[in-house]
Amino acid sequence: MDELPILPTTVIGSYPRPKWLRESIRLYHQGKLNEQEMKEAFNDAVITVLRDHQKAGIDVPTDGEMRRDEMVEFFAERLGGFRFYGFVRVWGDHYYRKPSVVGKITYKEPMLLEEALFAKEASYSPYLKVTITGPYTIAEWSYNEYYKSKRDLAFDLAKVLNTEMKKLVEAGIKVVQVDEPAIHTRKDEVEWAIEAVNESIRGIDVKVVMHVCYGEYSYLEPYLDRLKVDQINLALKNYNYEPVKLFEKWDGEIGVGVIDVHNRRVESPEEVANDLRMLLEHFKPERVWVNPDCGLKLLPRSIAYQKMENMVKGTLIVREELKRKGYTTTNLKPLFNR
Ligand SMILES: [Zn+2]
């Protein structure tokens, strides 16, 4: 019960939207598709994504975050206390609708429940993972025009995110991932940012993962023992595995990024297998999960698929080797009391 094969494979969350979905969204904004038709298109896209994940052999899939344009905006639009003024430039010609906090953060209604239930029903695996953006990242990527400090804002966000996660658990979701790509960007804020994450997952008694990616991992290291998540998954391939040593003392599980999502070159199964063998010199096999560095969203769909498939093929090679050494399964039970 609740066991996965040794070295479970998963994705971080996002997957490229099929071109027809992007067209549907455009038509919807022009008033040429109604709400119901748009919802059906999103549902169809989720089924397509899950089929890709299944075909690639992913053990713990997601719904590809088909309904989310952006990871902060989605939640800011659905919580009380936010308003939007306009777009800010983030990098190159990418623009971001940065939300402003103009009042106390309040929970209005479930944000992810309906999409989680749909994906759970459509999923081939009972261990579907649902992703939710964490309190620090939402606070960091918003303008604070109301709270005395960013810290106060983050802790109020933690409360409403906790309400949402409890609903997901009640609905039968077995793996929840808190996305905190910003948590390691400001050295003097990491200590309380970790407390805010802990607050957001209080009482969540399923597997809890935290995703962090491009930033300064060394800022996290001094506080790792305070983190109450079961698993941290990380971008590592893009850094040529340099940060591995920072996480050797981490007691929980480690999701190792073995696929570079900033590069269109498709890693071969042998390359993935070699990388995993090296990583197993640093981490116990029963504590290792396998994932890409980050969401696959920005890659062309065919490349995203091939990378995912080769990640699984490479993992299967090493999984066989581990089986001969007596390692067969990884338990899904939470490691820590929250
Ligand atoms: Zn990421």
Side-chain angles (χ1 to χ4, degrees):
M1 47 147 272
D2 285 355
E3 280 188 333
L4 290 162
I6 193 82
L7 303 182
T9 56
T10 188
V11 287
I12 297 304
S14 74
Y15 194 68
R17 278 174 166 164
K19 184 160 186 199
W20 57 261
L21 180 66
R22 283 182 272 137
E23 281 299 299
S24 302
I25 293 168
R26 198 174 57 80
L27 292 171
Y28 171 72
H29 287 307
Q30 290 172 354
K32 293 175 184 165
L33 282 190
N34 65 31
E35 289 284 340
Q36 182 56 30
E37 289 161 338
M38 189 64 244
K39 190 174 160 185
E40 284 171 12
F42 278 130
N43 288 349
D44 291 347
V46 168
I47 292 168
T48 304
V49 169
L50 283 165
R51 178 67 189 132
D52 273 14
H53 287 180
Q54 181 178 26
K55 215 168 123 220
I58 298 289
D59 298 308
V60 176
T62 68
D63 76 349
E65 299 175 4
M66 288 294 105
R67 291 165 227 263
R68 305 187 206 172
D69 286 331
E70 203 282 326
M71 63 185 291
V72 168
E73 179 190 274
F74 181 90
F75 296 94
E77 279 172 342
R78 287 160 178 80
L79 287 167
F82 283 98
R83 69 166 287 183
F84 289 90
Y85 296 108
F87 289 84
V88 292
R89 190 163 164 177
V90 271
W91 42 273
D93 57 353
H94 288 258
Y95 287 80
Y96 165 52
R97 241 172 107 226
K98 188 168 174 175
S100 294
V101 178
V102 295
K104 187 169 171 64
I105 298 296
T106 54
Y107 187 82
K108 294 201 287 194
E109 56 185 357
M111 300 175 277
L112 300 171
L113 193 60
E114 201 182 318
E115 67 174 63
L117 285 171
F118 179 83
K120 181 172 171 272
E121 174 78 22
S123 174
Y124 58 92
S125 159
Y127 308 122
L128 176 93
K129 179 164 76 178
V130 176
T131 61
I132 184 166
T133 307
Y136 183 81
T137 295
I138 298 182
E140 170 68 12
W141 290 356
S142 303
Y143 294 113
N144 174 17
E145 299 177 6
Y146 176 80
Y147 284 87
K148 265 203 204 110
S149 66
K150 195 198 296 177
R151 180 189 168 126
D152 291 348
L153 166 59
F155 277 84
D156 263 8
L157 284 163
K159 281 184 212 145
V160 294
L161 296 171
N162 185 255
T163 303
E164 184 71 6
M165 282 187 244
K166 284 189 170 145
K167 289 187 192 297
L168 296 172
V169 174
E170 277 167 29
I173 297 300
K174 306 248 191 218
V175 187
V176 176
Q177 178 179 292
V178 180
D179 290 326
E180 282 286 14
I183 201 165
H184 51 337
T185 47
R186 297 179 193 272
K187 196 174 186 178
D188 55 338
E189 294 181 355
V190 177
E191 189 171 6
W192 61 256
I194 281 178
E195 293 307 324
V197 170
N198 287 342
E199 193 61 31
S200 75
I201 59 173
R202 187 185 290 271
I204 302 300
D205 55 0
V206 297
K207 182 75 88 190
V208 175
V209 183
M210 180 173 83
H211 170 61
V212 290
C213 43
Y214 311 99
E216 191 44 62
Y217 291 142
S218 64
Y219 294 172
L220 271 179
E221 193 203 4
Y223 310 109
L224 283 176
D225 54 356
R226 300 201 201 162
L227 247 183
K228 295 202 172 139
V229 300
D230 301 306
Q231 180 181 140
I232 305 175
N233 66 25
L234 295 168
L236 290 175
K237 180 72 173 174
N238 186 263
Y239 298 103
N240 207 16
Y241 302 104
E242 275 294 308
V244 160
K245 54 187 181 301
L246 297 172
F247 292 88
E248 279 181 327
K249 68 163 193 176
W250 164 244
D251 284 338
E253 294 169 349
I254 186 112
V256 291
V258 294
I259 297 292
D260 188 355
V261 307
H262 289 170
N263 189 327
R264 293 186 178 196
R265 181 185 70 86
V266 177
E267 294 82 354
S268 69
E270 292 70 28
E271 181 180 347
V272 170
N274 280 332
D275 290 357
L276 284 173
R277 288 185 195 108
M278 178 277 294
L279 288 161
L280 288 170
E281 289 169 18
H282 299 269
F283 306 111
K284 293 180 193 142
E286 65 272 28
R287 291 284 163 99
V288 176
W289 286 44
V290 183
N291 44 260
D293 278 356
C294 190
L296 299 169
K297 182 180 185 169
L298 295 176
L299 290 165
R301 185 172 160 200
S302 62
I303 291 178
Y305 178 79
Q306 287 168 50
K307 279 179 175 266
M308 215 165 50
E309 191 178 63
N310 283 3
M311 180 184 88
V312 172
K313 283 182 181 166
T315 302
L316 291 178
I317 297 170
V318 182
R319 191 177 282 170
E320 281 312 307
E321 295 166 3
L322 287 173
K323 277 184 184 164
R324 288 197 286 276
K325 292 180 189 164
Y327 296 100
T328 52
T329 56
T330 295
N331 203 298
L332 204 72
K333 267 197 278 192
L335 299 175
F336 303 116
N337 279 329
R338 287 178 281 265

